[in-house]
Amino acid sequence: MAADETSSAASTNMAAPVATAAPAAENTGDKQNNGERKANGNRNGDSRRGGGRGGRGGRGNDRQGGGKRKQGGQGSGKGDVPDIRERIQRNRDAKRRKVIEEEVDGKSYMSINFTPEEIASEERRPKRKVAVLIGYAGTGYHGIQINHKEKTIEGDIFAAFVAAGAISKVNADDPKKSSLVRCARTDKGVHAAGNVLSLKLIVEDEDIVEKINAHLPEQIRIWGIQRTVNGFSCYQACDSRWYEYLMPSYSLLPPHPQSFLGKKIAESTKAKGVEHEYAERLDDVKGFWEEVEKNDIEPILAKLSPEVREEVVRKFHASTDQELNEDQPGKKEPKKEKKGEDNEDIEMVDNAEENKASDETAPAPQEKEAKTEKEPNPVDIALREVKTAYVTAKRRYRATPERIEKLQQALNLYLGTHNFHNYTVLKSFKDASAKRHIKSFEINKTPIQIRDTEWLSLKVHGQSFMMHQIRKMVAMAVMVVRCGAPLMVIHESYGPRRISIPKAPGLGLMLERPMFTEYNKKAKSFEKEPIDFSQYEDQITKFKDDHIYRRMFEVEENENAFHLFFNQVDNFRTDYFLWVTAGGVDASHERSDRTERVPKALEAELGDEADGVVETET
């Protein structure tokens, strides 16, 4: 986690075995020698002064010295007490063993174990501090950050380091022994064309990059490995980060007039007498849904009998209009988890995994085969056809220059330093770390056409970003534009009032690359190469086309991720998102504190399933 990365890296230098971390040991030894010289001087001074702090029974002098401390007095038979480095290492080893043995049934994604014989027979080679430039498509991975329980990008990369001989067998059981630090954290399913890891590797082989890549899947690539100064941390040295967010242009379409949110917007504008202002901001999409109903939906319904038609319309609205009242706080207790189910990583669960979980608890195959599948009735067939028609109509939409410009105006309001406490989790308005600086946020005025869907590319450049921040920034700007709300609501989101902002699908987010401007300025004086992705530009461009963009487009086409997201937000019967109406933020629900439980169905949209988890940055 980003908040812990600096401390982890620092403690690793202390905890690593002396034999494999000579530079760290030398530095520690130098500090100890200096401390001892200083201590000797103090002792001399104390004797001259006839006492002092160290003169009372020699208590002060007993505390000096390096290595192991003698334990005198009662219990002295226990012998030497381990020094702080040994105690840290023992505690770390004990915790790691406990997790592996008790929580993951001995199968860890971040601990590779070898026999003592294998370790003893391995040739010891020097490690060097390096920056590893990487790229990856995050599909199928639980984010970049390595952990014992889940398949992650770093987990596969660490295993490849070990397989290629870049990490010795003695250090393969714990990445912290190699001082592993990531520049930017990416969440589950999020991609990166460029990211950086810093750690200690064995890089004597000229073809070490090729050797490592040979042990990686094609959706993860090592672009290059560059030597750095010994104290380098890619997280601390990074000045800023560039991200790209891709989304279908139909995301800018207003809510359907019959949706819950569509009705609330219409009611509020009429009540406030601002119908003209809202209509003016939505002028370039005026009549879109009326045309869809006339040209796409009515022909389907016209073929049906009156009874079937009435049932199709009823079922369609019932399936989209989602009542949340029964799950409001205090209404009823949530279901208890079945024994054996892991509810700790709830932020990692998505629809695909829920389906997988239900498959695993389903009857055995032979029992399934014994049951005959229910034949779809005329209502089910027509309902499926109506839903498909709506999605197809959305994909035909092409954003006008006026609509794109409205989105750019919204994005411009993020520029500068603001309090983004509403755009993440576990941050209060008074938390100083919620203030972040955005350097630029630009939308490409030329959309990308992929098959029957038009895509928009947004690029944001900031010093650092909090969990969910970019996805919530995108969702806020898009919601304001698609609903015709005043742009001022974005300014209001920086204030103390809590606004519930949904987080846009992670499918569209990609880390373009981190920047190391200040470090690169000093690199020459260190006789080191600057950290620069431009030398790999051709490889990166091809990788993005083949592995990142292609996966984004295919997942959206097969799963309709953006359609489902906005359809859910529009149809939840809740006041959480009514800040887009003419009633403004006062019309929306304000949670009393960060621990108030939201309706279960809203957790995925809000990102509040991360409540109670240590906040980490991207």
Side-chain angles (χ1 to χ4, degrees), residues 17 26 29 80 97 112 217 297 312 323 343 355 362 377 396 408 439 446 458 468 485 490 567 575 594:
E26 290 170 4
D80 293 343
R97 284 195 301 270
I112 303 171
I297 306 304
V312 167
E323 177 64 65
N343 197 35
N355 293 338
N377 58 45
R396 286 201 307 264
Q408 183 60 67
K439 295 173 177 287
T446 306
L458 289 63
H468 304 330
I490 296 180
N567 191 59
D575 56 359
R594 295 276 163 179

Side-chain angles (χ1 to χ4, degrees), residues 366-375:
Q366 59 268 25
E367 295 176 348
K368 279 186 179 180
E369 291 172 6
K371 294 181 180 180
T372 56
E373 280 194 20
K374 181 183 175 183
E375 288 290 331

Side-chain angles (χ1 to χ4, degrees), residues 125-362:
R125 296 190 292 169
K127 297 185 294 185
R128 307 297 183 203
K129 195 63 174 286
V130 297
V132 183
L133 283 62
I134 64 176
Y136 49 87
T139 306
Y141 286 88
H142 286 250
I144 184 175
Q145 188 166 315
I146 195 170
N147 65 70
H148 288 290
K149 301 180 181 180
E150 308 289 355
K151 182 179 175 65
T152 65
I153 300 295
E154 281 182 349
D156 275 11
I157 292 178
F158 182 74
F161 286 157
V162 175
I167 288 179
S168 63
K169 293 175 181 177
V170 72
N171 292 328
D173 62 335
D174 186 359
K176 290 182 180 179
K177 289 183 179 179
S178 299
S179 305
L180 176 64
V181 174
R182 72 206 58 83
C183 174
R185 202 200 84 150
T186 55
D187 293 330
K188 180 187 173 186
V190 175
H191 316 291
N195 202 348
V196 174
L197 304 177
S198 58
L199 72 165
K200 298 172 184 175
L201 289 182
I202 300 166
V203 290
E204 295 173 322
D205 298 341
E206 292 184 0
D207 59 347
I208 189 63
V209 171
E210 289 75 15
K211 285 184 176 180
I212 296 170
N213 279 331
H215 294 282
L216 287 170
E218 289 188 357
Q219 70 183 92
I220 303 176
R221 291 291 89 183
I222 305 296
W223 304 128
I225 297 176
Q226 296 177 203
R227 289 284 305 278
T228 65
V229 295
N230 288 335
F232 178 79
S233 164
C234 61
Y235 176 71
Q236 293 178 329
C238 181
D239 305 303
S240 60
R241 298 158 177 87
W242 278 96
Y243 281 83
E244 181 178 22
Y245 192 88
L246 285 166
M247 67 180 187
S249 63
Y250 70 68
S251 303
L252 299 178
L253 284 170
H256 192 285
Q258 295 303 310
S259 67
F260 174 81
L261 194 55
K263 291 177 181 177
K264 287 295 183 181
I265 291 171
E267 291 170 6
S268 65
T269 56
K270 186 175 181 179
K272 296 286 185 180
V274 292
E275 294 169 283
H276 176 72
E277 287 90 334
Y278 267 71
E280 188 176 17
R281 288 192 285 266
L282 295 172
D283 184 62
D284 59 307
V285 287
K286 181 180 179 181
F288 175 85
W289 288 115
E290 288 78 0
E291 289 184 16
V292 170
E293 293 294 330
K294 178 182 176 181
N295 300 327
D296 298 86
I297 306 304
E298 282 300 325
I300 297 173
L301 299 178
K303 298 182 297 184
L304 307 176
S305 67
E307 296 80 10
V308 173
R309 173 177 179 148
E310 182 181 351
E311 184 66 8
V312 167
V313 172
R314 186 192 69 78
K315 278 195 169 185
F316 176 77
H317 289 297
S319 66
T320 57
D321 193 9
Q322 302 178 55
E323 177 64 65
L324 301 180
N325 290 338
E326 74 277 4
D327 197 26
Q328 291 287 4
K331 286 287 180 180
K332 67 178 182 180
E333 291 297 317
K335 278 190 195 175
K336 289 185 178 179
E337 297 295 327
K338 293 180 183 178
K339 187 177 181 181
E341 287 183 348
D342 183 7
N343 197 35
E344 293 181 6
D345 293 321
I346 191 168
E347 72 276 12
M348 295 297 190
V349 179
D350 65 359
N351 292 335
E353 288 173 337
E354 288 171 357
N355 293 338
K356 179 181 176 184
S358 62
D359 288 343
E360 289 172 351
T361 57

